[in-house]
Amino acid sequence: MGEGFALRWCQKLDIIVGSRDAQKAKEAAANYTTAAKQAYGSGMAGSISGEDNFAVANNVDVLILSIPYEFIADTCAKMSGHIRNDCIVVSPIVPMSRTDAGFIYIPLEQGKKPAADMVAEALPPRARVVSAFHTISEVKLKNVGQSLDADTFICGDDPNSVSVLTALVGEINGLRPVYLGPLALSYQAEILTPMLLNAAKRNKMKNPGVKLT
Amino acid sequence: MGEGFALRWCQKLDIIVGSRDAQKAKEAAANYTTAAKQAYGSGMAGSISGEDNFAVANNVDVLILSIPYEFIADTCAKMSGHIRNDCIVVSPIVPMSRTDAGFIYIPLEQGKKPAADMVAEALPPRARVVSAFHTISEVKLKNVGQSLDADTFICGDDPNSVSVLTALVGEINGLRPVYLGPLALSYQAEILTPMLLNAAKRNKMKNPGVKLT
């Protein structure tokens, strides 16, 4: 999803793409910049660059933590010494797996913690952690000409962190921020992803999003 | 929600309203019939009558089990001897409560079973149990002139039971049936209710529904 976020936000904001390998991050950033310039031309006021994860953590106001659930503890432990104190950390992470029944939500079926709680424990303080972007279609997000026509559900404990995120969501065409409550409710947003994937598969829907009507 | 279902379905179907007290059920049925006749006039091909819960269980093809989560075991134990073998049992039940954080889903936070599993254990065989109607606005459902403009998510193990339910959902104007998978996934539909209530409360939405876009 990183590519989609970079393409959507670079119109106004400076984006740094992170990777364990700085060279890979720089190459990705160059590719995204080419795509963004094609889409926006001279209307692109921001930028896209690439750095290794530690440099990203040290430089950004908002960190979108797009990593698998299984890697949260390990990745966050490595980054915790590098991340700025005032950095807002965003978890779009969804703990899910696939069984014969369909896509399942791991915390409910296996008694493990929701992703947002794992992140908050690994990168304290909890107040700066915000949960969002769980049900965004990667395909639609990358297609910058397309309105998402969807909601994204936000959980977080700190009003300031939540309002920064709300503004960032508002920058994405057709994406509506819907605040659910404190981070402890993040499971209600995370679980929408396996639900959505089950619905899409069983009903042959293509890249659906969730919207409250 | 019983009133809304009766009003929506009586246009074509015979509805029996159930209650522990037959007299209460008959009075409710009479009131609903008056409202239905006002709405449909001579276009009402079905009927609404009232019986005690045992008579309902013995007479219906499809039983909508609109009871609180806490009463599932007790109510079902009393009805199990009366219910027809070929009756399809529908659970719109949502195990939730309210805390300082907001509305929470009890099975995830307290390690209890999803409502559909409780019903399936109390009223076997599991194949006849279908989970649906968790996120329907009662207010919109009762207002028969209004399209619901929403999805309802269906879980069930038996294709025949699911297809009967799918057809019943299709009878309600603007309500789209979305099959999620086997009954074991019902928690993904049930949890939408506390999510929706949190979203409505925090964002001042009035009777929202969920829709996949």
Side-chain angles (χ1 to χ4, degrees), chain A residues 101 103-105 108-109 149 178-180 182 185 187-188 191-192 195-196 198-199 202-203 208-209 211-213, chain B residues 101 103-105 108-109 149 178-180 182 185 187-188 191-192 195-196 198-199 202-203 208-209 211-213:
Chain A
F103 295 91
I104 62 140
Y105 183 59
L108 189 129
E109 300 214 4
D149 187 29
V178 176
Y179 181 60
L180 284 188
L185 298 178
Y187 68 88
Q188 295 178 12
I191 205 168
L192 295 171
M195 185 281 283
L196 205 53
N198 287 319
R202 299 277 184 180
N203 302 273
K211 205 170 181 181
L212 304 191
T213 57
Chain B
F103 295 92
I104 61 140
Y105 183 59
L108 188 130
E109 300 214 4
D149 186 29
V178 177
Y179 181 60
L180 284 188
L185 298 178
Y187 67 89
Q188 295 179 11
I191 205 168
L192 295 172
M195 185 279 284
L196 205 53
N198 287 320
R202 299 277 184 179
N203 302 274
K211 204 170 182 181
L212 303 190
T213 57

Side-chain angles (χ1 to χ4, degrees), chain A residues 17 83 94 142 164 170 185:
Chain A
V17 178
I83 194 166
V94 177
K142 277 189 207 173
V164 168
L185 298 178

Side-chain angles (χ1 to χ4, degrees), chain A residues 149 151 176 209-213, chain B residues 8 135-137 139-153 169-178 196 206-213:
Chain A
D149 187 29
D151 292 342
R176 181 174 63 162
V210 180
K211 205 170 181 181
L212 304 191
T213 57
Chain B
R8 295 277 178 170
T135 55
I136 309 304
S137 155
V139 172
K140 285 181 186 163
L141 191 67
K142 278 188 204 172
N143 185 1
V144 294
Q146 189 177 13
S147 163
L148 265 78
D149 186 29
D151 292 342
T152 194
F153 300 93
V169 170
E171 293 288 329
I172 297 175
N173 182 15
L175 189 62
R176 180 175 64 163
V178 177
L196 205 53
K206 214 177 160 185
N207 307 314
V210 180
K211 204 170 182 181
L212 303 190
T213 57

